[in-house]
Amino acid sequence: MKKELQPIPIAAPGANLEAYVQAVNGISVLSAEREKELSEALFHQGDLNAARELVMSHLRFVVYVARSYSGYGLAEADLIQEGNVGLMKAVKRFDPSYGVRLVSFAVHWIKAEIHEYILRNWRIVKVATTKAQRKLFFNLRSSRNRLGWMNEEEVNSIAEDLNVAPKVVRQMEGRMAAQDASFDLPVDDKDGDSVPAPAGYLEDHQFDPARLVEEENIEAVVTEGLHSALRDLDPRSRDIIEQRWLTDKKATLHQLAAQYNISAERVRQLEQNAMKKLRGAINQPV
């Protein structure tokens, strides 16, 4: 029978970050033997107490990794929280038969969660969506040694290190340098010379009720005009139009010529005259 889980005496990092860091640093580091014992208990028996001890003993490592991402302007407590999620995922998937320490296995999962959080929150619009762009984003951030735009030598050096084209490095640099713009102008904006916000020129009229009703009315009038014009045609001309344009298997001029015992040229003339009348009916002002 499994033991009941005991409450964890550590507050979330957002409540008091320094107290949290002191608390996790006070948790003992597991020996290799104890770590293997706990990993096997979790992997083979689903022992949640073992999982808890594995997670708790590695929280200090998450803090260490999260602090290496302090240059992105995001709260350190949030980075730690995301790293903890990655640690728990790693513990859940860790197989002791791998023959490596948990910390070596978990670093990938911890960084992956932190990376995803940074990309979701660093800008309103994601600067990197593909795997290659994500790799370039984080490597570029760590490779830049100064503020401002990189010179050609720096761009070529980074491109060579990351095995990408210099143009791709420039594109990512531009994305990273861009600033988020408000979709709506501030409420107190009274400057008549300011650049209009996107809300002022990106209005979508596609689903405007008045516009939809107007389009439906126009379509109904045009359709009725077409039917009326077809009814006004003589039977032969109407039949030619229907066989030439209103059926799935369209008749040829020669087939209609044989049907009405006239020349193909005469069929073409009748068709043109009928089409002219139809266009006139459709193009009448609504």
Side-chain angles (χ1 to χ4, degrees), residues 234 236-245 251-275:
D234 62 89
R236 184 172 63 175
S237 296
R238 182 167 61 250
D239 184 55
I240 289 174
I241 291 298
E242 289 177 350
Q243 292 197 57
R244 289 282 290 164
W245 296 96
T252 65
L253 293 176
H254 292 286
Q255 288 173 335
L256 291 171
Q259 177 180 337
Y260 287 103
N261 196 26
I262 57 178
S263 67
E265 176 59 24
R266 181 54 182 160
V267 174
R268 188 186 65 80
Q269 292 174 356
L270 292 171
E271 179 186 14
Q272 285 186 337
N273 291 335
M275 291 296 293

Side-chain angles (χ1 to χ4, degrees), residues 22-274:
Q22 291 180 7
V24 299
N25 284 337
I27 300 175
S28 301
V29 178
L30 297 177
S31 65
E33 293 76 13
R34 178 58 177 166
E35 180 182 300
K36 183 177 181 181
E37 177 186 343
L38 293 171
S39 300
E40 290 179 344
L42 172 61
F43 187 79
H44 297 294
Q45 303 169 23
D47 189 338
L48 295 183
N49 278 312
R52 184 189 65 171
E53 189 171 345
L54 287 169
V55 170
M56 295 284 289
S57 62
H58 287 82
L59 291 177
R60 64 170 67 200
F61 179 68
V62 175
V63 173
Y64 171 79
V65 174
R67 283 183 166 173
S68 66
Y69 293 92
S70 59
Y72 292 91
L74 299 173
E76 185 176 309
D78 292 336
L79 296 174
I80 294 173
Q81 289 274 42
E82 295 298 321
N84 287 345
V85 173
L87 172 61
M88 288 185 284
K89 288 182 178 180
V91 169
K92 181 179 179 181
R93 292 167 172 79
F94 183 61
D95 185 345
S97 65
Y98 290 156
V100 298
R101 295 296 299 269
L102 174 59
V103 67
S104 301
F105 178 80
V107 65
H108 163 77
W109 295 93
I110 295 170
K111 288 185 175 182
E113 291 297 322
I114 294 176
H115 285 184
E116 183 63 29
Y117 175 76
I118 291 174
L119 291 173
R120 286 198 314 266
N121 296 276
W122 195 66
R123 288 282 189 271
I124 294 177
V125 178
K126 282 190 176 183
V127 295
T129 54
T130 66
K131 183 177 180 180
Q133 288 175 348
R134 294 182 182 199
K135 179 180 178 181
L136 177 58
F137 171 81
F138 287 103
N139 280 276
L140 191 58
R141 285 280 301 184
S142 61
S143 299
R144 293 183 62 173
N145 298 320
R146 59 176 176 80
L147 297 176
W149 294 93
M150 295 183 293
N151 57 40
E152 200 66 28
E153 182 180 351
E154 291 172 326
V155 170
N156 292 334
S157 176
I158 292 175
E160 183 178 353
D161 290 341
L162 302 181
N163 194 28
V164 297
K167 180 177 69 173
V168 177
V169 178
R170 282 293 188 196
Q171 289 174 344
M172 181 56 69
E173 183 185 31
R175 290 187 181 187
M176 294 171 62
Q179 298 295 321
D180 293 329
S182 174
F183 183 74
D184 295 303
L185 284 173
V187 177
D188 59 349
D189 187 11
K190 300 179 180 179
D191 187 1
D193 298 329
S194 61
V195 178
Y201 56 84
L202 293 179
E203 186 177 358
D204 185 4
H205 299 282
Q206 182 179 359
F207 300 106
D208 180 13
R211 185 188 183 97
L212 292 175
V213 171
E214 180 183 3
E215 291 176 351
E216 288 178 1
N217 289 339
I218 292 175
E219 183 179 354
V221 170
V222 171
T223 302
E224 177 57 31
L226 177 60
H227 290 166
S228 177
L230 281 171
R231 288 193 296 267
D232 291 340
L233 292 176
D234 62 89
R236 184 172 63 175
S237 296
R238 182 167 61 250
D239 184 55
I240 289 174
I241 291 298
E242 289 177 350
Q243 292 197 57
R244 289 282 290 164
W245 296 96
L246 303 180
T247 59
D248 294 333
K249 188 176 181 181
K250 296 179 175 56
T252 65
L253 293 176
H254 292 286
Q255 288 173 335
L256 291 171
Q259 177 180 337
Y260 287 103
N261 196 26
I262 57 178
S263 67
E265 176 59 24
R266 181 54 182 160
V267 174
R268 188 186 65 80
Q269 292 174 356
L270 292 171
E271 179 186 14
Q272 285 186 337
N273 291 335

